[in-house]
Each structure stands twice: as C-alpha cells, then as structure tokens.
Amino acid sequence: MAAQFGRRVVKGAATTAVAAVAVAALSASQAPGVTDTAQGRQNAGSQPSSDPDADNSATGNSPYYTDLPPLNSPTPTPTTGTGTPTGTGEAEAGIPATVLDAYKKAEAALGESKPGCNLPWQLLAAIGKVESGQARGGRVNANGTTISPILGPVLNGNGFAKITDTDGGAYDGDTTHDRAVGPMQFIPSTWEWAGRDGNDDGKKDPNNIYDAALAAGGYLCRFGWDLSDKADLRRAILSYNNSTHYLNTVLSWLEYYRKGTHEVPDGTGTLPSGRSDDNNGSSFSPTPTPTPTPTPPGTTPPSSQTPGGGGSTSPTPKPPTTTPPPSTPPTTPATPTDTVDHLEDAGTAKLTATAGDAFAEKIATRTETEAGKAVAKVRVRFTIVGDTDSAFTGGESVATVVTNSSGVATAPALKAGEKTGDFTVRATVVGRAVSGLDYKATVTARQADALARTGDTALTCVAGGEFADQVELKATYKGAAADGVEATATLIKATDDATANDKGPYFKDADGKTVRTLAGLKTDANGLLKLPKLYADDTAGTFLLRVNTTGGATLTVELKVTAAPSSSPSPSAS
C-alpha cells in the first residue's frame, strides 16, 4: 500500500474514485468530531496548525506514516487476563506482543499517577503506529529495546524543521542537528525532560518501547489535560506533532484500535508504507537523488518532451561561451532567537514556600542582546532540577514560555512538594546555545505556631492500668489549621528537664514494648493529632507529656497516676 502527501495512491481511475469514497467514509466513521474528506486530505497534506514551533513538540514535527486503518473493523474476541478486548482481522490491525504490553503498562502507570488524564492505551498504539509502525513491526528484543535505532530525518531545515543539536549526539548520533529518536519519535531536547524509565532498569532510553510509551503517556497527560474530553484530546495530539493531517490520522487509528485488535509475535507486524514526507518505504532517511546516466560518446542526448506530452522535442541547447559567475547562496534572515546573547533575571524575589503550598513569587527571565537590548518572541524553557517533587502548575517539571514585548518570560506558578530542602529552576533559551540562568528555590517543612488540646477532661489513671482518654491535639499556624505538621511526643522528667522519663506513663510500640518518646507524628488535614493510648506502670504521681511541632509550637500536658487501692486484710479466725 502506497501513500503520497497523506493520501492513498490507487492505480486506475475507477479504483481512485472508490478509494476517495472509502477514505471519506473511514474519516466519518472512525474519527468523530474531525472534518476530513478525501479532498480535504489532498489539500491539507501535513501542514502545521497555528503553532509551527517544532522544538516545542515531542517529535519536532518530524515526518510520520500516513497509512489509514483498513476499512473493515477487526472482529473483537475475548482477551486473556488483561481485561481488554482483543480482536482478529487484517494483519495491519495486529500489534506486536511486547509493544502492546508496553502500551498497556503505560496506561496502568498513568492511571495511578494521573487518573484525571484518562489515557487509553489505544491512543499510544495509534501514535506508535503513525510514528514508527509499532517499532517497525515489533522489531525489539526481550527487554523492549529496538533491534536497531529508529531515527527520523536530520532536522536541518532542508524540507524539515531546523533544530540545532541539543544533546551532543548522545541520543541521535548527530552533533550538528537533532533527529527524532525511537519508536515514539522523541527529539532529544524533549526526551531530556519527558523521558521515563518504563521497565525499571534504571535507564531512560528513547529506543526502549516501555520507556518511550510511558514518556509519551506522560507527555500527553501534561497541563492537566483530560483525554476523555475531545478538545483536550485534540490539543494533546497536536502538541505531539503539530499537523492537522497528523491529528486526523492518529484519531482514525485510535478509533480503529478501540474496536478491537489482536496480538502478533514480535517482528511480524505490518510496516506502513505511506510517509508524510513523500518518501515511500520504511526508511526514515530522505530518498537519495539518482545519479544521472552519462551519455555514451558519439551519441546524441535524448531530447525532452514538451509539457503537453505531444512528443515534440526541443533542440539541444549550446553550451555558454563564458562561465557564469558563481551564485551567492541565499542567506536566512536572523530570527529573534539568533540575536539573544544572554539571560538576565527580571526581578525575581526570594523563592521560598512551605511544603504543599504555592510559591508566592514567580520566576521572571529577560532575554537580551549583547548590547543589553530586550528581545521579544523568544522561547525560554524553565526546567526544575534536583531531588524535589515540587512542580509547575499542572504537575510538570518543564515549562516553555515566549518572551513578551519587554523580552520577559514569566514561568508558571511553582507549587512546593513534600520534600523539603533546596532545588534549582534553570532558564535556557530554546534553539540558542547561551548560558542558562539558575534560580534557587527552598521548600521548608510545614509549621505550627500553636498547639492545644481539643478537650479539657483530666487525664488520670490508676497505677498499673491504662488511661481511659487518648490525648488529642490541634495544631494551627497563624490561626488556621496546620495540616501535615510533624510532631514529637515525649514523657519528660520535669518542666525544666525534657529528657525522657524512665518511670510513670508510657506508650507501647507494635511489639507491646514500653516507649516514652514517639517521633514522626503528623497532623491530619484538619490539623488534628490523636496520640496512641497511654498506660501506667506501678509508680504513682504527677507526670508530664510534652509535644513539640515543626515551627516551634509546644504543649505540656499533665498526667496523674493514683496508687492502686490496697487489698483489705483478711478477717482473723475466731
């Protein structure tokens, strides 16, 4: 099956008409909400939609396979153990076993980490089909790594986007320009932040289908998109490869796989033939220009036909008498990005937040020329670096922002995670090798400035018994409930001696052993902390329980242990 400029090529006028009707029917039945007629495909080609910035897509808007699903839907059959319908039918509907497993594992992982995304594995299968023909028909080893690298064309601006090398050739082997890599066709600059370890081998390899599938799922689920919503689904797909025809092709395969598919052995999948760059075949490299056949001596070169095809010939032109001057190669106008010399901080204040809270300040960076002039319309990438679970709005660790008329790019709001300590947000210019600008951010532990009991019942116990009431406290910070605040409870010797007592009331650990200090306690969502049950040894008296929280809140609670009643003497014998 061949394809050209996103449409199928069928020999013969009659079959061409039939194919046009079939494509229109397929689009109408399998891609709801997408306007995509046969004529529309011919006109749309692979033109990008409103935002053609290649470096800001997963693939750099690289070429893709344009083959459409078979018109006959696969016949669903019961699955074995996965709970997902499979099917039988044309070979093109089959998905290699390891590749299919990777898609389903990615769906499960994203279902846990980002349940609101509602990522279906069939969407990953549709993108995998369009990007690499399911890893070239499932040519992967037992670990899911492709037998040989899958590389897109060199993104040097010659018929494709121009993306200067960003990885030193580490992923694509090219130190001059970038190329899309692996079964899901990530460009290196995107893989650097979107890459995932999907098979738990400690590596993030774009050539591994488990890693690539999980990364693709994470990429599609960013910005809080809900893929069960048609509008978010379209946005996500277009962010992967910014082409209307790409969107329509992926949607067609998505609906096809939703109707059922079947597993085929690795390496036996059907490889598509149609390419959006009009390079038929499975190779991602441009078709080489054929070498002209030399004319044998003593013969007259064949004449060319006129455009009308009437068979008339034109005379062989005489060679010029003088050598024409060499032509000057056209120069590419400098873009705003090309003029950026350095980055400057644009008034970012100190970045500090309590765990779980939003940072009050936003990071602002200005792009400037060598002379210090602001540069507008430049993409600045903000990347969170370090051991932290803090993230930008939407849970992402990377955000790309275009500078305004003042040359300033303001990063989305940062939200602190639960990990305390310092991390870095690095600002870099997309498509320009200038030094990055680092911002230090600090996450402090949740705090409480006040601590009080929720009840006022006296806490008493008979020696050798247990306290009837458990101690419950409420922590607040500036008058509001302080949730997630860590606390330590210790049965101390005296008001001025905070060392743990060796007698009196005590807690029990999981093994029932005596414990007089409890660390690692934490208040709940309402700032409440209920301590475990207290017991008393055989020592009577007044004892103290002290609770300290992060932030300095302290409360001392009095505990009273009364002596056990003495047994009555037995009456003497008469």
Side-chain angles (χ1 to χ4, degrees), residues 335-340 366-369 373-380 402-409:
T335 65
T337 300
D338 295 331
T339 67
V340 176
R366 183 171 55 254
T367 53
E368 295 184 356
T369 64
K373 182 179 179 181
V375 186
K377 298 182 179 180
V378 174
R379 290 189 176 272
V380 175
V402 179
T403 57
N404 60 19
S405 58
S406 300
V408 175

Side-chain angles (χ1 to χ4, degrees), residues 329-543:
T331 58
T332 304
T335 65
T337 300
D338 295 331
T339 67
V340 176
D341 176 75
H342 59 274
L343 295 172
E344 289 286 343
D345 177 41
T348 305
K350 186 176 181 180
L351 297 166
T352 303
T354 301
D357 292 345
F359 284 79
E361 296 294 328
K362 291 184 178 180
I363 298 171
T365 302
R366 183 171 55 254
T367 53
E368 295 184 356
T369 64
E370 185 176 4
K373 182 179 179 181
V375 186
K377 298 182 179 180
V378 174
R379 290 189 176 272
V380 175
R381 177 171 293 142
F382 298 94
T383 306
I384 296 175
V385 180
D387 183 17
T388 181
D389 54 353
S390 298
F392 292 117
T393 302
E396 302 306 317
S397 60
V398 175
T400 302
V401 181
V402 179
T403 57
N404 60 19
S405 58
S406 300
V408 175
T410 302
L414 269 172
K415 184 176 180 181
E418 295 301 321
K419 289 184 179 179
T420 59
D422 298 334
F423 66 93
T424 299
V425 178
R426 180 165 299 150
T428 55
V429 177
V430 176
R432 180 77 169 162
V434 299
S435 298
L437 189 60
D438 287 351
Y439 296 85
K440 177 184 174 182
T442 302
V443 178
T444 60
R446 296 171 186 258
Q447 302 178 42
D449 55 15
L451 199 58
R453 281 188 64 195
T454 58
D456 55 5
T457 305
L459 299 168
T460 62
C461 176
V462 176
E466 60 183 53
F467 287 80
D469 298 311
Q470 289 178 245
V471 179
E472 185 178 63
L473 311 172
K474 182 167 184 177
T476 56
Y477 183 70
K478 296 182 179 180
D483 64 309
V485 175
E486 292 192 359
T488 300
T490 305
L491 291 150
I492 61 175
K493 289 184 176 181
T495 303
D496 56 354
D497 185 356
T499 58
N501 209 334
D502 56 0
K503 58 185 176 180
Y506 61 91
F507 299 107
K508 288 183 180 180
D509 64 13
D511 297 325
K513 295 180 180 179
T514 298
V515 175
R516 288 192 167 92
T517 297
L518 293 177
L521 303 172
K522 188 172 289 187
T523 61
D524 66 13
N526 298 313
L528 298 175
L529 174 61
K530 194 170 188 177
L531 300 181
K533 184 181 287 292
L534 277 163
Y535 301 86
D537 61 15
D538 57 2
T539 308
T542 300
F543 301 90

Side-chain angles (χ1 to χ4, degrees), residues 136-293:
R136 288 180 176 160
R139 289 166 176 82
V140 297
N141 63 21
N143 296 321
T145 302
T146 57
I147 302 300
S148 59
I150 301 175
L151 297 174
V154 178
L155 298 176
N156 57 8
N158 184 19
F160 309 106
K162 181 178 181 180
I163 302 179
T164 305
D165 174 62
T166 61
D167 66 329
Y171 294 119
D172 56 12
D174 193 323
T175 58
T176 304
H177 295 92
D178 275 349
R179 304 175 71 172
V181 182
M184 302 305 277
Q185 287 291 278
F186 280 96
I187 54 174
S189 59
T190 302
W191 182 261
E192 190 62 30
W193 62 266
R196 298 288 188 273
D197 178 11
N199 59 352
D200 296 323
D201 64 352
K203 297 184 294 183
K204 299 176 182 178
D205 183 2
N207 295 297
N208 182 278
I209 185 59
Y210 288 99
D211 294 358
L214 185 58
Y219 187 91
L220 295 165
C221 287
R222 71 200 197 287
F223 302 136
W225 283 331
D226 178 0
L227 302 183
S228 65
D229 177 81
K230 285 186 178 180
D232 278 359
L233 176 63
R234 292 170 65 93
R235 293 186 189 100
I237 296 172
L238 284 172
S239 78
Y240 208 90
N241 193 316
N242 197 15
S243 159
T244 302
H245 180 256
Y246 179 87
L247 168 70
N248 293 348
T249 306
V250 169
L251 285 174
S252 294
W253 280 106
L254 169 61
E255 292 307 311
Y256 183 79
Y257 286 138
R258 275 176 167 163
K259 292 177 181 177
T261 184
H262 60 281
E263 180 183 292
V264 298
D266 289 345
T268 64
T270 302
L271 190 65
S273 58
R275 300 268 308 149
S276 63
D277 56 350
D278 194 30
N279 176 29
N280 294 334
S282 60
S283 172
F284 274 37
S285 303
T287 303
T289 303
T291 304
T293 303

